[in-house]
Amino acid sequence: MFVRAGVRTPTHNNCDNRAACGVMTEVRTDPTIAERVAASTPEPLARRVRGLSDRAIAWAFIGPTVGLLLAINIFPLLWTVYLSFTNYRANRPNEEILWIGTRNYERVLTDPDIWAAMQATAHFVVWTIVLQTVLGFGLAWLIDRKFRGSAFWTTIILIPMMLSSAVVGNFWKFLYQPQIGLFNYVVSFFTGIDPSSFDMIGSVTLAPWAIVIVDTWMWTPYVMLICLAGLRSIPDYIYEAAEVDRASPWRQFWSITLPMALPFIMLAVLFRGIENFKMFDLVVQLTGGGPGSITELTSINLKREAFEKWRTGYSSALAVILFVAVFGLANIYVKALNRVKQR
Amino acid sequence: MSSVELQHISKRFPTVAALSDVSFTVRDHEFFVLLGPTGAGKTTTLRIIAALLKQDEGSVLFDGEAVDGLTPADRDVAFVFQQYSLYPTMTVYDNLAFPLRSPMRKTPEPEIKERVQHAAEILRITHLLDRKTARLSGGEMQRVSIGRAIVRQPRIFLMDEPLSNLDAKLRESLRVELQHMQKTQGNTTLFVTHDQIEALTMADRIAVLDHGRIIQIGAPADIYDRPATTFVATLVGTPRINLFTAARENGTYFVANSDLHLPMPGDRAMPQQVQVGLRPEDVKITPGGRFTGVVALTEPLGVETILHIRSGQQTLLSILPGITPLRRDDPVRFDILHERLHFFDVDGKRV
Ligand SMILES: Nc1ncnc2c1ncn2[C@@H]1O[C@H](COP(=O)(O)OP(=O)(O)O)[C@@H](O)[C@H]1O
Ligand SMILES: [Mg+2]
């Protein structure tokens, strides 16, 4: 450590300011953080720092972060909660803001459009999670066989995940084209159905599945990656023990592979669940919420209410409801996850 | 239970020849110990017997029949792994019951319970049965791992340093327990260790392994009293054997830089240069002893004292019963039991 002249290093015996100087005490108190900081700081700053208590130094370090967090996270959150009890409209800032109690919440919860959006979201979230987990785990399991070229295939499989969702939304729109789209052509190749007889994006029954398919195509690699980490964390010698103990491959899978990879799978489900609950960009690019409002997920609905219809109070109430719901679910889930991890 | 024979087994890894031409037979009901330092190839040998690893050359026989084509399940061995290999998501009970629940064995659940209980009592882990294995201590895991083997009735027990992670007390008591179990049930056991005390106390026969080669096979007394090489001589016995290089001089072997003139055996042709081995218990401190020396250090252990005696610039160890009044720099006289001298040539081979 570089020590400037005149700055007392903590290792010196500072006899001048120790009461018990004559008696060499064996117990030496550690220098305070302030002293240590001062010792390694240029003199002008050191003079200011030296007198501070440990607690003050600690605050000086975390203060900026806490301040920033308050300003851009906590304050807007509280402000949103406040606005949800008012009739405020952001496009009419000069109008008087009226406190209207829980009327916004009543409106949100009785609005059939909201419930339709919730249903669309639930359909989307549940099916993407199910498909991505099953496919992702399956792929990870295959890749983990460590066959020749498995590293190459891993890279190939990861590509969709690396693309931007705006790009993905856009080119899947073309893939879904009834006449020229590759998707329809492939489906027709395998099933014999006329490719122009169905329209993934335009059809009310198919559009919810269209977004599920694209999201699954894009994010299965991500789930695969996490599951692969889980599978790789299982040491070989456990399988060797199982083999000596005469467990069939089937039994090894159910009693070793799956339980040991479970925390990883659950983590992937959590990440994908949170991510897809707030899904916006991909679906907007792909279907724009249509046809009608069949694929209008809550986040899209929320954006429309807030920034197209400018019902700020109303959309704040919706946002608060969504926040509480996601927060609550995530909390319960994380508790379950921790229990699984601690086995 | 079966006999297990290894015939000319060799195994090479990319960077090292782990086993070279290893042959030995574990007889039915025998407690056979494979003794060697770390990296000798002990684990590799066990893995080949269990079919977890395929040998490059040679053949493994159970009861005289080659089993080279059989899978680990078909060979029906019990393996206590060096790194425990417990199933971390299961309870101790389920770990112990796991091999019994194999469809290939079809043990009824009450019998499983009985056997698990019995094994748990022997290993003193009854109180752990409901615990998950992930948070057990090393010694507890080790015992569960032994338990998972002894609930079974395999053709052979393969144990890879099963006592190495236990504290001294537990190791001693489990050593006795394992021996007792093996003797009463007549289990064929191949026990791997780097600890010479375990080998000497437990084994019916010992094979000493070094750098993938069998150096010597024999009963503990053979290994101890007639070590085939200086490596074996230094590997077994604590305190360590005294080993000096000596050269012929006027019909005796003279240990350089010392006052030691050792007698030459007259019954065989002896080389000019030898290494002489002398176990500490064969150096007798007596008032009328032929040799003289000075006490360099005493290590009182209670039941005995290890005495370091300086003779010239050489130091040799001796053992005295109880605690000695001798102090550093005291002069001592001692005798050497001539018939107990071990002679090795310069390459370390016994002559
Ligand atoms: N899977 C492996 N790949 C490469 N080298 C190995 C492997 N397993 C063991 N070895 C090497 O083979 C030698 C013998 O190892 P091992 O049988 O584990 O020794 P021991 O059990 O006696 O300590 C060592 O040099 C070790 O590094
Ligand atoms: Mg080993």
Side-chain angles (χ1 to χ4, degrees):
Chain A
M1 188 174 60
F2 179 74
V3 179
R4 296 176 140 262
V7 178
R8 179 165 297 125
T9 67
T11 46
H12 284 166
N13 280 322
N14 2 0
C15 266
D16 44 352
N17 58 9
R18 283 267 168 93
C21 191
V23 194
M24 275 309 293
T25 45
E26 276 167 19
V27 185
R28 286 209 54 223
T29 51
D30 279 337
T32 64
I33 295 174
E35 277 172 23
R36 273 185 276 166
V37 171
S40 54
T41 309
E43 180 56 24
L45 191 58
R47 220 178 293 127
R48 271 188 254 163
V49 163
R50 202 170 296 131
L52 295 178
S53 70
D54 283 3
R55 185 162 283 269
I57 294 264
W59 274 110
F61 279 129
I62 65 167
T65 311
V66 170
L68 218 59
L69 206 65
L70 282 174
I72 65 177
N73 258 340
I74 310 294
F75 170 72
L77 185 67
L78 295 177
W79 192 244
T80 305
V81 173
Y82 162 69
L83 287 180
S84 71
F85 292 104
T86 69
N87 69 345
Y88 178 66
R89 295 175 74 94
N91 60 342
R92 297 190 206 143
N94 299 327
E95 233 168 62
E96 190 189 0
I97 301 177
L98 283 181
W99 181 269
I100 58 169
T102 58
R103 199 152 355 123
N104 280 331
Y105 287 89
E106 285 159 28
R107 268 191 225 145
V108 168
L109 292 175
T110 54
D111 187 340
D113 285 354
I114 297 287
W115 287 106
M118 292 276 200
Q119 245 166 18
T121 307
H123 178 274
F124 178 70
V125 170
V126 168
W127 279 107
T128 50
I129 286 180
V130 168
L131 291 175
Q132 288 171 27
T133 307
V134 171
L135 292 175
F137 186 80
L139 282 175
W141 192 79
L142 288 178
I143 292 283
D144 195 39
R145 304 291 95 190
K146 295 186 189 110
F147 52 90
R148 267 189 54 194
S150 63
F152 171 76
W153 285 109
T154 312
T155 316
I156 294 288
I157 290 170
L158 290 186
I159 286 176
M161 190 180 104
M162 301 175 189
L163 302 174
S164 131
S165 31
V167 172
V168 170
N170 232 331
F171 77 64
W172 270 88
K173 222 157 143 178
F174 290 108
L175 294 181
Y176 278 148
Q177 287 282 338
Q179 264 89 28
I180 55 161
L182 196 60
F183 183 84
N184 285 36
Y185 175 77
V186 168
V187 170
S188 111
F189 182 86
F190 283 109
T191 62
I193 300 170
D194 178 14
S196 56
S197 69
F198 65 100
D199 180 357
M200 289 301 288
I201 294 175
S203 151
V204 172
T205 48
L206 292 180
W209 294 105
I211 57 176
V212 168
I213 289 170
V214 177
D215 191 77
T216 301
W217 177 83
M218 186 167 175
W219 290 110
T220 295
Y222 178 76
V223 177
M224 181 200 82
L225 217 52
I226 297 179
C227 289
L228 191 58
L231 293 177
R232 293 265 158 93
S233 76
I234 306 174
D236 286 343
Y237 53 72
I238 292 198
Y239 289 113
E240 292 183 343
E243 219 155 287
V244 170
D245 285 343
R246 298 180 140 188
S248 59
W250 182 249
R251 186 155 177 248
Q252 289 181 26
F253 179 83
W254 285 105
S255 56
I256 297 170
T257 311
L258 203 57
M260 288 188 75
L262 191 59
F264 290 83
I265 298 172
M266 287 182 72
L267 207 61
V269 167
L270 178 69
F271 289 156
R272 289 313 301 147
I274 290 177
E275 198 71 5
N276 275 357
F277 197 88
K278 54 182 200 191
M279 165 52 67
F280 185 80
D281 43 5
L282 185 67
V283 173
V284 166
Q285 270 303 321
L286 200 62
T287 67
S293 58
I294 280 296
T295 58
E296 192 171 294
L297 308 177
T298 35
S299 60
I300 302 175
N301 185 294
L302 181 61
K303 185 248 174 188
R304 294 234 161 102
E305 294 292 342
F307 301 110
E308 284 170 22
K309 300 183 188 165
W310 295 105
R311 301 165 73 184
T312 311
Y314 176 87
S315 50
S316 294
L318 176 53
V320 169
I321 289 172
L322 291 180
F323 174 76
V324 170
V326 173
F327 196 73
L329 285 177
N331 254 321
I332 294 170
Y333 189 86
V334 168
K335 285 227 172 68
L337 178 63
N338 280 336
R339 242 203 327 277
V340 168
K341 268 201 306 201
Q342 267 160 23
R343 286 182 320 185
Chain B
M1 290 292 150
S2 301
S3 68
V4 169
E5 183 176 357
L6 270 63
Q7 288 181 339
H8 309 293
I9 296 283
S10 292
K11 177 72 193 175
R12 272 173 299 279
F13 290 117
T15 53
V16 64
L19 294 176
S20 316
D21 194 17
V22 167
S23 304
F24 61 82
T25 304
V26 184
R27 299 174 191 140
D28 201 3
H29 309 306
E30 187 177 34
F31 198 118
F32 193 93
V33 171
L34 197 55
L35 174 67
T38 305
K42 308 181 295 294
T43 301
T44 305
T45 309
L46 290 193
R47 287 165 56 82
I48 286 173
I49 295 174
L52 294 172
L53 201 63
K54 183 105 190 66
Q55 69 271 26
D56 296 335
E57 281 153 43
S59 181
V60 179
L61 289 79
F62 282 22
D63 287 331
E65 276 176 47
V67 292
D68 297 311
L70 297 188
T71 62
D74 290 332
R75 290 201 190 177
D76 194 14
V77 301
F79 203 133
V80 178
F81 289 85
Q82 197 169 2
Q83 62 291 74
Y84 323 131
S85 288
L86 302 180
Y87 308 122
T89 55
M90 300 181 202
T91 61
V92 171
Y93 182 93
D94 288 334
N95 262 275
L96 295 184
F98 191 86
L100 299 175
R101 287 183 178 147
S102 162
M104 289 170 80
R105 254 185 286 270
K106 292 209 183 72
T107 319
E109 207 57 40
E111 192 190 332
I112 292 180
K113 188 158 186 201
E114 196 177 306
R115 287 222 228 154
V116 169
Q117 277 295 342
H118 182 65
E121 272 159 32
I122 290 176
L123 297 163
R124 274 164 258 163
I125 48 174
T126 318
H127 61 291
L128 298 176
L129 284 177
D130 294 330
R131 296 256 296 271
K132 296 273 181 175
T133 52
R135 267 179 289 172
L136 300 179
S137 74
E140 289 167 340
M141 288 198 202
Q142 189 89 279
R143 281 180 281 163
V144 176
S145 158
I146 297 173
R148 200 175 52 187
I150 65 174
V151 292
R152 298 177 40 187
Q153 285 150 346
R155 300 182 77 172
I156 183 171
F157 284 101
L158 305 173
M159 302 198 173
D160 198 352
E161 313 208 14
L163 305 180
S164 58
N165 283 301
L166 305 176
D167 61 61
K169 270 240 174 63
L170 194 58
R171 182 161 33 193
E172 241 166 70
S173 71
L174 267 185
R175 208 160 70 199
V176 174
E177 204 62 67
L178 281 179
Q179 247 176 311
H180 177 74
M181 218 163 52
Q182 194 270 335
K183 288 289 167 266
T184 51
Q185 299 176 7
N187 300 331
T188 310
T189 305
L190 177 51
F191 185 103
V192 157
T193 182
H194 66 264
D195 182 45
Q196 50 99 15
I197 295 184
E198 272 173 26
L200 291 176
T201 52
M202 301 174 86
D204 293 326
R205 285 193 305 148
I206 298 173
V208 179
L209 193 65
D210 185 35
H211 287 103
R213 286 174 195 283
I214 297 282
I215 309 292
Q216 188 175 5
I217 299 178
D222 287 338
I223 302 282
Y224 190 79
D225 289 336
R226 297 186 50 79
T229 66
T230 50
F231 171 80
V232 178
T234 47
L235 188 67
V236 296
T238 44
R240 232 167 73 92
I241 193 168
N242 297 298
L243 203 59
F244 305 109
T245 49
R248 262 163 109 140
E249 211 181 277
N250 306 327
T252 66
Y253 277 123
F254 175 63
V255 177
N257 303 322
S258 78
D259 308 327
L260 297 172
H261 290 271
L262 301 172
M264 261 178 67
D267 56 344
R268 54 209 142 140
M270 296 297 290
Q272 180 65 30
Q273 287 271 341
V274 288
Q275 298 184 69
V276 186
L278 180 56
R279 297 241 177 243
E281 66 270 24
D282 300 331
V283 179
K284 300 285 186 199
I285 308 289
T286 55
R290 256 189 64 207
F291 302 95
T292 58
V294 173
V295 175
L297 186 73
T298 60
E299 295 179 67
L301 301 175
V303 64
E304 61 193 19
T305 299
I306 302 169
L307 203 62
H308 296 235
I309 304 169
R310 192 156 353 139
S311 170
Q313 283 166 33
Q314 302 279 11
T315 306
L316 74 168
L317 306 184
S318 169
I319 293 187
L320 290 172
I323 293 182
T324 170
L326 286 169
R327 291 280 162 271
R328 209 185 133 99
D329 295 334
D330 286 352
V332 283
R333 300 189 72 88
F334 56 94
D335 268 334
I336 285 169
L337 300 184
H338 296 174
E339 67 282 9
R340 304 273 300 168
L341 282 170
H342 305 273
F343 293 97
F344 306 94
D345 62 22
V346 283
D347 299 326
K349 279 226 175 52
R350 186 178 190 87
V351 290

